Amino acid sequence: MTTFQKVGRRLRIMAKVKRKKSTSWIVITAILAIFYIQLQDNVQDILPDLNLNNQQEALPVTDLHPAVLAQKNRLVAQTRELGIKIMITDGFRTHEEQDRLYQQGRTAVGQIVTHARGGESMHNYGLAIDFALRTDDGRVIWDLEHDGNRNGKSDWMEVVAIAKDLGFQWGGDWDHFPDYPHLQMDFGLTLRDLKRGERPPADAHETMEAMKYRHTRFSSDNIF
């Protein structure tokens, strides 16, 4: 083989290699383009928390929501009519208070009573209360079997039944880490919604109407 033939062969080999590389880059570029288009179409589902256009300015919460406060007062009154005295042991809770409670049983003395950090509890948004029973001799108890009014029923569950009729959700129904003293009203809002700044209507009447609609919709869907 002459020198010119060798050079020609090398040039042909180099040309084939370049064509293969060019083809590979075209394929890679096409795949990346398709992935980018799909990512743009689904970015709101993949990264919902980064949807800054829908972010609302969070209103400060410093107390129980008016509707929750009103129903809490009705709960105290209606249980008293049955001869049951209850004590509201907690209501609105600041993020700092929630963090301190979270540390209990972890880095602080006591038993674990919550898995929620600051901002992860309905208490932090004025939408939850905790209750306990008060006995005739003034003791505060968390006894689910106590029958202080002597009607053959658990006082605790009688309180829960009234609370549910008033629109509260009971933490004792939770499968994971049941919270028996806990009552809340979320008005169809999730913690993610609340963190984004969404709030129930401030007007108690509007809020109760929304809650009635939510209850009717859930009942029709057999959700309980």
Side-chain angles (χ1 to χ4, degrees):
M1 181 181 292
T2 66
T3 301
F4 290 108
Q5 288 175 327
K6 292 180 180 180
V7 172
R9 182 180 180 186
R10 288 179 181 177
L11 289 174
R12 286 194 297 273
I13 293 173
M14 291 174 65
K16 289 181 180 179
V17 171
K18 287 183 178 180
R19 283 197 296 271
K20 288 182 179 179
K21 288 184 177 180
S22 298
T23 302
S24 299
W25 278 113
I26 292 173
V27 172
I28 292 173
T29 302
I31 292 174
L32 289 175
I34 294 172
F35 176 75
Y36 177 78
I37 293 172
Q38 292 179 338
L39 181 62
Q40 291 296 310
D41 292 338
N42 298 291
V43 67
Q44 299 304 326
D45 295 329
I46 298 173
L47 301 174
D49 288 334
L50 296 183
N51 187 4
L52 300 180
N53 292 329
N54 292 333
Q55 191 82 11
Q56 301 181 24
E57 183 178 353
L59 298 175
V61 180
T62 58
D63 206 344
L64 285 177
H65 186 280
V68 178
L69 177 62
Q71 297 303 79
K72 182 263 291 184
N73 292 336
R74 291 190 179 97
L75 177 64
V76 173
Q78 291 185 26
T79 53
R80 186 185 298 122
E81 291 176 0
L82 293 180
I84 302 173
K85 299 176 184 178
I86 66 172
M87 176 179 179
I88 304 302
T89 59
D90 211 347
F92 167 72
R93 191 185 297 150
T94 67
H95 286 43
E96 293 75 17
E97 290 170 336
Q98 185 69 41
D99 283 334
R100 285 196 295 270
L101 195 63
Y102 178 81
Q103 295 305 325
Q104 183 175 319
R106 294 179 175 88
T107 60
V109 178
Q111 295 181 337
I112 291 178
V113 294
T114 182
H115 288 317
R117 299 174 185 268
E120 298 176 352
S121 169
M122 288 292 175
H123 284 282
N124 306 148
Y125 304 96
L127 303 180
I129 60 175
D130 292 340
F131 77 94
L133 301 176
R134 187 186 292 276
T135 64
D136 291 336
D137 58 6
R139 290 181 297 117
V140 177
I141 62 173
W142 288 261
D143 185 352
L144 274 64
E145 305 298 328
H146 182 72
D147 181 19
N149 60 359
R150 297 177 178 80
N151 65 351
K153 301 178 183 178
S154 159
D155 288 357
W156 196 278
M157 297 311 299
E158 288 187 90
V159 174
V160 169
I162 295 173
K164 288 184 175 182
D165 285 342
L166 292 173
F168 284 102
Q169 299 160 334
W170 182 41
D173 287 329
W174 297 342
D175 293 330
H176 177 65
F177 197 74
D179 191 352
Y180 298 106
H182 183 89
L183 300 169
Q184 70 177 41
M185 294 182 179
D186 61 24
F187 308 109
L189 297 176
T190 65
L191 282 171
R192 176 178 291 175
D193 296 330
L194 294 167
K195 288 179 179 180
R196 288 177 176 174
E198 293 188 48
R199 298 290 184 267
D203 181 83
H205 175 72
E206 291 182 11
T207 305
M208 295 309 296
E209 288 300 316
M211 188 169 61
K212 289 178 183 177
Y213 167 76
R214 178 179 182 278
H215 176 73
T216 301
R217 176 168 59 86
F218 278 22
S219 296
S220 63
D221 292 340
N222 294 322
I223 298 175
F224 53 86

